[in-house]
């Protein structure tokens, strides 16, 4: 039986505890990233943990890093618990904390922009378009409906805020900070990754409406894909057979949680900041079910009990 984990505590140097993951140093050149079962929405971390979420994120990312390796190198080394314990024997007594949810990766210098690719008009992009007719500051054709398909997909970077809410920025801003060669490389790789992912997902009945990639600079000075890839935390997954522009779509991610929180907010019971309201059990369970279903649909098997 797997157990729910809100925060891991491993005998390795802890470098960072993010919204979802603990990041531990493994020597100079590697990291062990442990995806907890924490869930955040609107950039606020909930008090409850969602069963199977961390394992789902780690194993789905591992699956994608394998497939996307033909497009770009990534930080991925292993998400296999046995292999990780063999490489790090000091973790042998801590298997319950890492089983299925830990990933051994190459350590990089993260690029401080999130590389967002949008194939459909949703979320903050729909919000911007509705307000100003633009996306990432660039004008879009008039009259697009909510959830409309964007062809070709649009690269819309965001800053990686240390705390608080990420901010959508123009490509020019990213270019000014990173330099044109790196910015252009990250844009074209992100679009190519999205294209590969969306073609595969479409065969399995899912639309990847949008997604966020992160990159880091390796010891050779070259960018590689880091963090997680094409998971329900970093993407919007919509069932193709229920797609209908002109409204928001049902999705295999934390939508049940977002919907519940949004309702609490409009009822004046939550102001949008931490601490969030306590979640009903049904919202936690329904959110966990969406993560498991996303894994099953994309990978084609149930989430394994231990990887
Ligand atoms: N290979 C890597 N090298 C350096 N940093 C990484 C690597 N992979 C992921 N990270 C960083 O580890 C953190 C993962 O924790 P997470 O909970 O996702 O944080 P966040 O709250 O920033 O989303 C992120 O800050 C991410 O940029
Ligand atoms: Mg993250």
């Amino acid at each position: 039986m797997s157990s729910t984990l809100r925060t891991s505590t491993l005998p390795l140097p802890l470098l960072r505890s993010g919204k979802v993951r603990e990041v531990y140093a493994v020597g100079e050149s590697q990291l062990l990233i442990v995806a907890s079962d924490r869930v955040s929405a609107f950039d606020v971390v909930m008090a409850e943990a969602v069963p199977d979420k961390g394992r789902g994120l780690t194993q789905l990312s591992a699956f994608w890093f394998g497939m996307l390796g033909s497009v770009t190198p990534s930080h991925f080394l292993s998400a296999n618990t046995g292999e990780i314990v063999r490489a790090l024997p000091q973790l042998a007594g801590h298997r319950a904390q890492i089983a299925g949810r830990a990933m051994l990766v190459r350590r990089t210098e993260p690029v401080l922009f999130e590389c967002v690719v949008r194939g459909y008009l949703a979320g903050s992009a729909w919000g911007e378009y509705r307000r100003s007719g633009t996306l990432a500051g660039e004008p879009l054709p008039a009259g697009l409906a909510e959830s409309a398909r964007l062809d070709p997909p649009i690269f819309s970077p965001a800053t990686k805020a240390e705390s608080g809410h990420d901010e959508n920025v123009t490509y020019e801003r990213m270019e000014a900070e990173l330099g044109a060669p790196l910015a252009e490389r990250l844009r074209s790789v992100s679009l190519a990754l999205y294209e590969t992912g969306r073609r595969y997902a479409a065969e399995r009945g899912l639309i990847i409406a949008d997604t966020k990639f992160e990159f880091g600079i390796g010891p050779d000075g070259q960018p590689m894909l880091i963090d997680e890839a094409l998971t329900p935390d970093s993407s919007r997954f919509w069932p193709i057979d229920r797609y209908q522009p002109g409204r928001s779509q049902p999705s295999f991610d934390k939508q049940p949680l977002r919907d519940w929180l949004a309702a609490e907010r409009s009822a004046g019971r939550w102001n949008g900041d931490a601490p969030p309201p306590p979640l009903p059990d049904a919202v936690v369970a329904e959110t966990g079910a969406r993560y498991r279903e996303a894994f099953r649909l994309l990978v084609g098997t149930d989430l394994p009990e231990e990887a």
Side-chain angles (χ1 to χ4, degrees):
M1 262 301 286
S2 62
S3 54
T4 299
L5 178 79
R6 194 158 191 288
T7 309
S8 67
T9 50
L10 295 177
L12 291 171
L14 179 66
L15 296 179
R16 174 187 161 84
S17 183
K19 288 190 288 288
V20 170
R21 295 172 180 78
E22 277 80 53
V23 180
Y24 298 92
V26 174
E28 297 278 285
S29 57
Q30 295 179 2
L31 301 172
L32 189 74
I33 302 188
V34 180
S36 74
D37 296 318
R38 294 192 293 278
V39 62
S40 72
F42 307 116
D43 284 331
V44 175
V45 182
M46 304 296 121
E48 295 78 5
V50 174
D52 291 339
K53 176 174 179 281
R55 292 190 308 126
L57 294 179
T58 297
Q59 296 307 318
L60 184 56
S61 290
F63 167 80
W64 282 119
F65 285 132
M67 175 172 308
L68 300 173
S70 59
V71 180
T72 187
S74 84
H75 69 166
F76 181 77
L77 294 171
S78 178
N80 179 288
T81 311
E83 277 175 24
I84 291 172
V85 172
R86 274 194 294 284
L88 297 166
Q90 66 269 48
L91 299 186
H94 302 270
R95 243 188 135 95
Q97 286 192 67
I98 55 175
R101 62 174 78 249
M103 188 180 284
L104 190 64
V105 304
R106 296 179 184 89
R107 185 171 183 169
T108 69
E109 200 53 58
V111 173
L112 296 178
F113 285 88
E114 307 204 316
C115 293
V116 181
V117 181
R118 300 177 184 277
Y120 291 79
L121 197 51
S124 66
W126 167 241
E128 179 184 329
Y129 178 75
R130 218 171 21 171
R131 277 191 310 276
S132 58
T134 58
L135 173 51
E138 307 284 337
L140 284 184
L144 292 177
E146 180 173 11
S147 308
R149 184 179 162 111
L150 300 169
D151 210 7
I154 295 176
F155 180 72
S156 73
T159 53
K160 233 182 108 48
E162 257 314 302
S163 62
H165 300 279
D166 298 334
E167 186 199 342
N168 293 338
V169 296
T170 60
Y171 177 73
E172 285 64 36
R173 160 100 179 267
M174 178 174 169
E175 196 175 39
E177 288 191 30
L178 298 182
L182 180 57
E184 180 42 41
R185 175 99 172 261
L186 297 187
R187 172 164 68 176
S188 64
V189 169
S190 298
L191 290 168
L193 288 169
Y194 176 71
E195 196 51 42
T196 303
R198 87 145 147 197
R199 272 203 205 139
Y200 172 83
E203 287 165 19
R204 309 212 53 109
L206 284 184
I207 291 171
I208 302 177
D210 54 35
T211 194
K212 172 215 64 163
F213 298 109
E214 292 187 32
F215 293 89
I217 307 298
D220 59 355
Q222 297 302 311
M224 68 177 102
L225 182 61
I226 65 166
D227 204 53
E228 59 184 333
L230 296 173
T231 69
D233 270 11
S234 63
S235 325
R236 281 190 176 79
F237 295 139
W238 297 340
I240 286 175
D241 55 6
R242 297 182 62 191
Y243 173 66
Q244 204 186 312
R247 58 160 169 86
S248 67
Q249 310 298 311
S251 63
F252 290 102
D253 54 28
K254 53 184 108 165
Q255 200 62 43
L257 173 60
R258 288 204 199 97
D259 290 348
W260 185 81
L261 285 171
E264 288 298 287
R265 225 173 145 165
S266 31
R269 288 191 290 265
W270 182 45
N271 66 6
D273 296 324
L279 305 179
D281 292 346
V283 172
V284 174
E286 170 63 7
T287 305
R290 298 280 179 107
Y291 280 82
R292 275 193 300 277
E293 185 64 358
F295 181 93
R296 199 183 62 74
L297 287 170
L298 284 167
V299 180
T301 62
D302 286 330
L303 179 62
E305 269 302 313
E306 179 161 324

